[in-house]
Amino acid sequence: MDRVASWWDGFELWLAGLSFVPQVALVLAVLVPACFGVAWLLDRAMAGVFGLLGRGETDSSATTTEDC
């Protein structure tokens, strides 16, 4: 565990030593895909829970509206 902590400390110091623009670019390159993945997983999990509760998504192509 000490090796992981030592590596993380070194990475943190390296990131803090970068100028602002590379920091932002690196953080966005990591956080945007990570947040997208977490949001997708939460969406699928909640769809599963709602499906089990009988409140799943309805298929909008199955319902038709009549034009007057």
Side-chain angles (χ1 to χ4, degrees), residues 14-68:
W14 172 77
L15 183 62
L18 293 176
S19 63
F20 179 74
V21 174
Q23 281 183 1
V24 170
L26 186 61
V27 167
L28 287 177
V30 172
L31 283 182
V32 169
C35 290
F36 179 79
V38 168
W40 184 82
L41 286 173
L42 285 173
D43 179 57
R44 294 293 85 213
M46 292 305 296
V49 168
F50 285 146
L52 288 173
L53 295 175
R55 298 187 55 102
E57 296 179 4
T58 59
D59 187 12
S60 62
S61 63
T63 59
T64 58
T65 58
E66 298 179 12
D67 293 331
C68 294

